[in-house]
Amino acid sequence: MTTIRLYNTRTRRKEDFAPLDPENVRMYVCGPTVYDRAHLGNARPVVVFDVLYRLLQHVYGPDHVTYVRNFTDVDDKINARAAESGRAIGEITAETTQWFLDDMAELGALKPDHMPRATQYIPQMVAMIEDLIAKGHAYEAEGHVLFAVDSWREGYGKLSGRTVDDMIAGARVEVAPYKRNPMDFVLWKPSDEDQPGWDSPWGRGRPGWHIECSAMAYELLGESFDIHGGGNDLMFPHHENEIAQSCCAHPEGDFARVWMHNEMLQVEGKKMSKSLGNFFTVRDLLDQGVPGEVIRFVFLSTHYRKPMDWTAEKAREAEKTLRKWYAKAAQGVGTGQPHIAVVQALADDLNTPLAISELHQLYLADDVATLRYTLQFLGLLAADLPDWVSGPTFDLSILGDMLSEERSRAMKNKDFSEVDRLKALLIDAGIEVRMRREGVELVPGPDFDPAKLESLK
């Protein structure tokens, strides 16, 4: 069995991955707050952990992996969007949830096994909060319930590597008069008539953000599970608070054993920002004609623990490479197993840049079936070639038949000018032309550029 090594944020080292139960490998990834379209940065953790999901399924079997990614559908941003638009909250969250699923599918992301919505687990959150109060880890104050950080000082801060005192000194936190400690965080807060709310022992209200993931993870994965993932912007306070409340509510468990965080995304070397004019959603790119496979390829070209810079040039190069690979993959059927070198690259802490490099080498080999299957394994190719690469440009057999017919015609009329013209076009496009008695074989080379064959359509 392939040994997977993953960098654990909590221990700050790369470790051999040993699941609690190989028959049920469990992973939880923090999902989106659904109030608008997913921007490009939102998509990076989806692609990163989709690759990990695929790797885990390959190693342990598709029936032995449970992947949970939540939707936060109760949040002040959603409330604000509803107030601005005059639309119902449920209408907004249903629409934006489907937008998210559609856009991520365009990037080749598989659906997780469970996609819980926070509003479906309010009773479980209330029960967890009651338990935390009973154990002395939380307290009620002015209609709010807060987690008491001082009750778990020995564990708080280990994920982010900070002490409670350091966090108090440097954090921007809401300093409310009802807090015993500035670092105490909200588990439950009151709702007014215009806000969504549920009945609770502390009055009508709604959950704080952090308790949502703890309650859903516990219900779907248990008190201990294997992997918890998300962007590194969630490490503090969200993931730190998840650990605190989960370990205090269920001290018999470990909560998540391995913590993985992807780095942030930049655009053309700068932080994505509306003020800089470089902020765009996944749908913006798709509508501009950038294929989802190209977006995914650009993401995979940078290791998940390094900042990723999206540039138009990278997208152009990615499309050129994929067109070349698809041209060869179209000549075979993807069966068997993914290329072992690609699997080994992913098993080394999701080294996707190395996996891409191995794909380049695989392209140069003649194992078309393995190339196609490996592209499918990485989520870079569905069962069929995508629409944006369909047509005669990618059916090299048609071009070969065309050249063969022209050669037969030329041999009769002794005029090889058209044959020479077609050969020159093909060679200029990076195709090796092998002319034999039995026919013509066209082999795309490492510099194959299908765009140069547009005139042959």
Side-chain angles (χ1 to χ4, degrees), residues 163-343:
T163 67
V164 175
D165 292 335
D166 287 342
M167 286 187 277
I168 292 175
R172 297 177 181 177
V173 294
E174 177 190 358
V175 181
Y178 48 78
K179 284 189 175 184
R180 297 176 184 173
N181 182 316
M183 293 305 299
D184 292 351
F185 56 89
V186 173
L187 302 174
W188 189 264
K189 52 189 172 183
S191 297
D192 60 31
E193 294 180 357
D194 297 326
Q195 295 170 326
W198 291 263
D199 291 334
S200 80
W202 320 286
R204 183 176 179 275
R206 60 197 190 280
W209 174 33
H210 313 301
I211 195 68
E212 297 175 10
C213 289
S214 286
M216 290 185 283
Y218 175 71
E219 287 297 317
L220 295 170
L221 300 177
E223 69 273 4
S224 299
F225 55 94
D226 298 298
I227 300 169
H228 195 312
N232 69 353
D233 58 324
L234 299 181
M235 191 186 308
F236 180 84
H238 185 52
H239 289 166
E240 200 75 76
N241 292 350
E242 276 189 72
I243 293 171
Q245 61 203 10
S246 295
C247 289
C248 289
H250 306 290
E252 70 281 4
D254 299 322
F255 192 44
R257 301 180 73 200
V258 177
W259 285 84
M260 298 179 65
H261 295 90
N262 63 273
E263 259 287 357
M264 295 296 98
L265 175 140
Q266 297 178 325
V267 175
E268 303 290 348
K270 297 180 180 179
K271 182 178 180 181
M272 191 164 63
S273 166
K274 291 181 179 179
S275 63
L276 294 176
N278 66 351
F279 179 95
F280 42 81
T281 67
V282 173
R283 181 51 52 180
D284 289 336
L285 283 179
L286 294 171
D287 289 346
Q288 290 167 18
V290 181
E293 296 88 350
V294 168
I295 299 173
R296 186 180 182 97
F297 185 99
V298 175
F299 281 179
L300 299 187
S301 299
T302 301
H303 192 272
Y304 79 94
R305 287 195 287 116
K306 293 184 178 180
M308 198 208 84
D309 189 19
W310 172 274
T311 68
E313 178 61 26
K314 285 182 179 179
R316 284 191 293 268
E317 288 299 316
E319 181 171 343
K320 180 179 177 180
T321 298
L322 286 173
R323 284 184 181 276
K324 181 175 66 176
W325 289 352
Y326 291 159
K328 177 168 281 191
Q331 302 172 36
V333 178
T335 58
Q337 294 291 320
H339 189 40
I340 184 62
V342 170
V343 174

Side-chain angles (χ1 to χ4, degrees), residues 46 119 154 162 175 223 230 308-309 330 337 391 418 430 443-444 448:
V46 174
T119 53
E154 70 278 6
R162 308 181 228 182
V175 181
E223 69 273 4
M308 198 208 84
D309 189 19
Q337 294 291 320
E418 181 62 12
V443 181
F448 176 47

Side-chain angles (χ1 to χ4, degrees), residues 326-367:
Y326 291 159
K328 177 168 281 191
Q331 302 172 36
V333 178
T335 58
Q337 294 291 320
H339 189 40
I340 184 62
V342 170
V343 174
Q344 290 172 342
L346 298 185
D348 183 13
D349 194 34
L350 299 188
N351 192 339
T352 53
L354 179 57
I356 295 292
S357 177
E358 295 293 350
L359 269 174
H360 282 291
Q361 297 302 314
L362 181 59
Y363 168 80
L364 296 175
D366 291 327
D367 192 348

